Amino acid sequence: MAEPNYMENITGVFGFPVAENPTGVMQNAAFQALGLNWRYLNFEVTAENLGNAVLGMRAMNNFRGVNCTIPHKVAVLQYLDEIAPSAQVIGAVNTVRREGDRLIGENTDGKGFMRALGDDADIDAAGTHAVILGAGGAARAIAVELALAGARQITVVNRSHGRGETLVRLLNEKTPAHAEFVAWAGAYRVPDGVDLLINATSIGLFPNVEDAPDIDFDSITPGMVVCDVIPNPPRTPFLRRAAERGATTLDGLGMLVYQGAIAFKMWTGYEPSIEVMHTALAAEFGG
Ligand code: NDP
């Protein structure tokens, strides 16, 4: 008989607020499906206690990794031993993994998007022209991963000039892609030749689920891949209208599952079941 082992490996999320973060539902389902003695917990950590929380994590050998969400994605960098290359360019960490005594910062948000693009739409980003609506954290992560994967041109469309211009400068200085900023004023018309159109704004987020980004939907063509970061509900008005124009669509639920699956693999070394994670999260979202 195997020796009893009452020590679970712990992962989780540091955030504030954190009670409504559903990530644990899909991670715990995936641990269970593989028979792993691991658990994902939500930890309420205020901004001033982040350093102490990371120290606590370091002190507990079976605390194997953690996600960081609002307000810790940038602040956590100072407490880590190493930052992965794309997380360095993005300037934010959403996943911390452990290698022996070292804590390494990663960003799986953009990587989740890239995996959805490759696995679900069979798209290679190399040589593409992408239009990204938004210039916040999600837009930044997606834009950097697209650029590092060889996207030729990235157009950032954003309401506030400051954030949009900052992202464009970052892309032009730190990646091989050519980036340009377009100030968002009135219905945005997608230019000819665009391969990817991504809503990376929070427009459509619950409870405003009927809102859609202000674009000219007639400028969407059947050859385009149109993506939304909004995970709940995943079939947003933006994606519905893009599908009506014949575009291929990718939803934010898929991206959320993939970014979690990438973190899972980083922590455990095992490939989780995407289906188990997707089903668990979709059920939680009532879909
Ligand atoms: P931020 O607050 O950092 O950025 C929000 C962006 O949305 C900004 O560019 C902002 O523009 C823009 N925006 C918000 N409201 C409007 C509006 N009414 N009109 C035009 N632009 C608007 O948020 P995040 O980037 O962190 O998150 C964005 C979304 O991505 C959230 O809904 C989040 O849930 C989702 N997300 C999904 C993930 C997934 O895996 N599916 C992963 C990470 C995030 P401005 O600069 O002008 O304010």
Side-chain angles (χ1 to χ4, degrees):
M1 221 170 82
E3 287 281 311
N5 182 352
Y6 301 109
M7 185 178 77
E8 289 178 300
N9 287 302
I10 299 299
T11 62
V13 54
F14 290 165
F16 191 90
V18 83
E20 288 178 13
N21 189 313
T23 308
V25 172
M26 66 172 173
Q27 298 291 6
N28 286 323
F31 292 144
Q32 215 174 3
L34 283 177
L36 296 177
N37 195 18
W38 285 60
R39 193 190 294 211
Y40 188 103
L41 296 167
N42 288 19
F43 296 98
E44 189 177 76
V45 176
T46 58
E48 58 274 21
N49 269 326
L50 179 63
N52 289 333
V54 175
L55 271 180
M57 178 185 171
R58 274 186 196 280
M60 294 179 235
N61 292 340
N62 58 318
F63 202 144
R64 306 298 307 164
V66 79
N67 286 136
C68 290
T69 188
I70 292 170
H72 304 316
K73 284 187 177 184
V74 176
V76 75
L77 270 78
Q78 62 190 303
Y79 303 115
L80 305 177
D81 302 303
E82 191 182 322
I83 311 295
S86 66
Q88 256 176 50
V89 179
I90 296 163
V93 159
N94 80 332
T95 301
V96 178
R97 66 184 172 88
R98 195 174 186 124
E99 251 183 46
D101 290 338
R102 294 172 60 72
L103 296 182
I104 300 162
E106 302 268 2
N107 195 312
T108 65
D109 281 337
K111 293 189 195 310
F113 170 83
M114 296 305 291
R115 182 140 168 216
L117 207 57
D119 286 12
D120 296 346
D122 201 20
I123 297 288
D124 178 357
T128 55
H129 178 186
V131 169
I132 301 183
L133 308 173
R140 225 173 144 90
I142 290 170
V144 167
E145 295 290 353
L146 277 171
L148 295 179
R152 175 177 49 85
Q153 193 174 347
I154 297 180
T155 304
V156 176
V157 181
N158 200 51
R159 181 180 58 180
S160 76
H161 291 217
R163 277 218 267 194
E165 281 162 357
T166 301
L167 175 53
V168 162
R169 204 174 317 119
L170 172 92
L171 293 167
N172 283 328
E173 284 174 5
K174 298 204 174 160
T175 78
H178 170 71
E180 60 184 355
F181 170 64
V182 174
W184 201 347
Y188 174 74
R189 195 171 167 76
V190 185
D192 290 344
V194 165
D195 305 291
L196 299 167
L197 171 65
I198 302 143
N199 174 35
T201 72
S202 41
I203 300 169
L205 198 61
F206 185 83
N208 303 313
V209 297
E210 287 310 317
D211 289 358
D214 187 12
I215 67 162
D216 177 355
F217 282 90
D218 288 343
S219 63
I220 291 181
T221 56
M224 271 179 211
V225 177
V226 178
C227 319
D228 203 335
V229 294
I230 302 296
N232 179 29
R235 205 76 200 141
T236 57
F238 176 64
L239 292 185
R240 283 203 304 267
R241 294 182 68 182
E244 280 163 20
R245 296 280 309 159
T248 302
T249 58
L250 287 176
D251 66 46
L253 179 58
M255 178 183 159
L256 193 58
V257 168
Y258 282 128
Q259 68 76 30
I262 293 165
F264 184 106
K265 175 89 189 289
M266 286 174 175
W267 294 329
T268 67
Y270 293 102
E271 201 67 67
S273 161
I274 297 298
E275 196 188 334
V276 164
M277 295 180 88
H278 195 280
T279 304
L281 201 54
E284 195 60 28
F285 287 162

